[in-house]
Amino acid sequence: MTQSLPKLRLGTRGSPLALWQAHAVRDALLKAHRWPDEAVDVQVIRTTGDAITDRALSEAGGKGLFTKELEEALLDRRIDLAVHSAKDMPTRLPDGLHLVGYLPRADVRDALILREGVALRDLKPGARVGTASLRREAQLRRLRPDLDVSLLRGNVHTRLAKVESGEFDGTLLAYAGLSRLGLADKVSSVLETTDFLPAVGQGAVAIETRFGDIAVDALVVPVVSPATGLALRVERAYLAELDGSCRTPIGGLAQVEGDEIRFRGVVLAPDGSRFYEIVRYGPINRALELGIAAGKEMRAMVPADLLPH
C-alpha cells in the first residue's frame, strides 16, 4: 500500500452472510495488492434493517434500510468503502456515493429448503412456507396458490432453524448465500430461473465508495468483474424505470453472452394471479440503454395498480 494511503476501512452489516461478503472483498484486495492482513480493517455497522424482524421490509421503508447507516458512515468518512448484497441496493444512491463495481457474480438462483420432500410438488396443500420476499412469494403463489405463504424474517440460520423445528414446512433463500455460508447441503432443490426469476442483483456483492475518491476506486478496480458490472447496469436501469422498492414483486436477470447481453424481466401481482414478462437482447456497449428501454416497455405493459405511475 502506498505511504500516502491510510489503512482501508471497510464497512459491513454484521450478519454471517454480510461478514462473508466483506471478508471476500477484503481477501480479494489483499491478494490483488499483496498487502499484509492489517491493511484492510473490517468495521461492523448495525443497520435499521437488522433491527426490524417483526414485519416485511416493504412495510418499514424498503431496501434502503440495509444500506442507510453504511452510507452515512461513508459520507462522514468513518469508512472508505461499504460492502453490500447488490440486491439490497436502492436504485438511487445518496449524492456523493457510487457503486465502483462488484465481485464476480455467484449462482443467481433461489433455493428451496423443505422439512420433508425435495421439490415444490412435495408440499401438501396448505403447507406453510416462509419468506420475506414479495418476489418469491408472488412466484410461489403463481405456481402453488394452495400453499400458506407467510412472513419469515431473520438471517439465514434463523430461517433454517424455523423450518427444522417444524414452525414452517419450507422456505426460499438465495442459493448463493447458502453456498457462501457452507449450507448448500440444506438445499432440497435449486429453482430454475424459468419459474423463479431472481431479484435484481441477486448473487452479486457490491462495493460502494465516495464519488471522486479516486485513490480508493483505483484500489478496488482490480478486484471487480466487468461482466457482472455490465449485467447489473442493465438490471438496475430496468428497476429504476419501474421505481422498484420492495412493494412490487419484480424480477430481472441480465446475462453477458459474448458481445451481447440477454435480459429477462418480470412483474407479478402480489398474489401471483397476474404475470408480465419481457425478454430483450442488446450489445454490451448499450447496456444502460437496454435496461432503460426494457423498463419503459414493461411499465407501459403493466396495469397502474401494480406499478403506480
Side-chain angles (χ1 to χ4, degrees), residues 213-224:
D213 199 337
I214 298 172
V216 172
D217 285 359
L219 294 171
V220 172
V221 165
V223 308
V224 302

Side-chain angles (χ1 to χ4, degrees), residues 54 74 125 132 159 167 191 202 286:
D54 60 344
L74 265 178
R159 300 186 201 192
E167 186 175 344
L191 302 169
Q202 186 158 307
R286 301 292 296 275

Side-chain angles (χ1 to χ4, degrees), residues 65-234:
L65 296 172
F66 282 130
T67 61
K68 180 174 179 289
E69 285 79 7
L70 287 165
E71 291 174 331
E72 288 173 347
L74 265 178
L75 290 169
D76 293 344
R77 297 185 174 273
R78 287 179 280 131
I79 59 174
D80 302 301
L81 63 153
V83 175
H84 311 274
S85 291
K87 66 184 180 61
D88 291 337
M89 297 300 295
T91 54
R92 294 171 179 80
L93 303 181
D95 290 342
L97 301 181
H98 74 143
L99 293 175
V100 67
Y102 310 84
L103 293 186
R105 196 174 201 172
D107 197 312
V108 302
R109 295 174 296 174
D110 286 321
L112 179 66
I113 298 93
L114 299 180
R115 192 160 56 91
E116 297 179 357
V118 297
L120 275 179
R121 63 177 178 274
D122 296 326
L123 286 166
K124 297 177 181 178
R128 191 178 189 212
V129 180
T131 179
S133 162
L134 287 181
R135 174 191 58 83
R136 290 181 180 131
E137 178 179 352
Q139 294 185 113
L140 183 58
R141 290 184 183 279
R142 178 172 178 254
L143 295 175
R144 289 292 307 271
D146 58 319
L147 297 177
D148 173 13
V149 186
S150 305
L151 175 67
L152 176 55
R153 286 290 316 280
N155 64 35
V156 171
H157 290 90
T158 297
R159 300 186 201 192
L160 291 177
K162 290 191 175 184
V163 173
E164 291 174 1
S165 70
E167 186 175 344
F168 289 84
D169 296 299
T171 188
L172 302 171
L173 293 166
Y175 182 65
L178 291 164
S179 297
R180 286 164 173 163
L181 293 174
L183 297 169
D185 62 320
K186 301 291 185 181
V187 175
S188 302
S189 58
V190 181
L191 302 169
E192 296 303 325
T193 58
T194 48
D195 291 324
F196 281 82
L197 200 64
V200 163
Q202 186 158 307
V205 177
I207 304 171
E208 187 177 24
T209 63
R210 288 181 293 273
F211 188 79
D213 199 337
I214 298 172
V216 172
D217 285 359
L219 294 171
V220 172
V221 165
V223 308
V224 302
S225 164
T228 302
L230 284 169
L232 268 289
R233 189 176 301 170
V234 177

Side-chain angles (χ1 to χ4, degrees), residues 3-25:
Q3 293 297 315
S4 61
L5 187 73
K7 177 187 292 186
L8 273 181
R9 299 160 300 171
L10 184 158
T12 177
R13 294 169 55 208
S15 73
L17 183 55
L19 289 172
W20 184 98
Q21 295 175 158
H23 282 277
V25 172

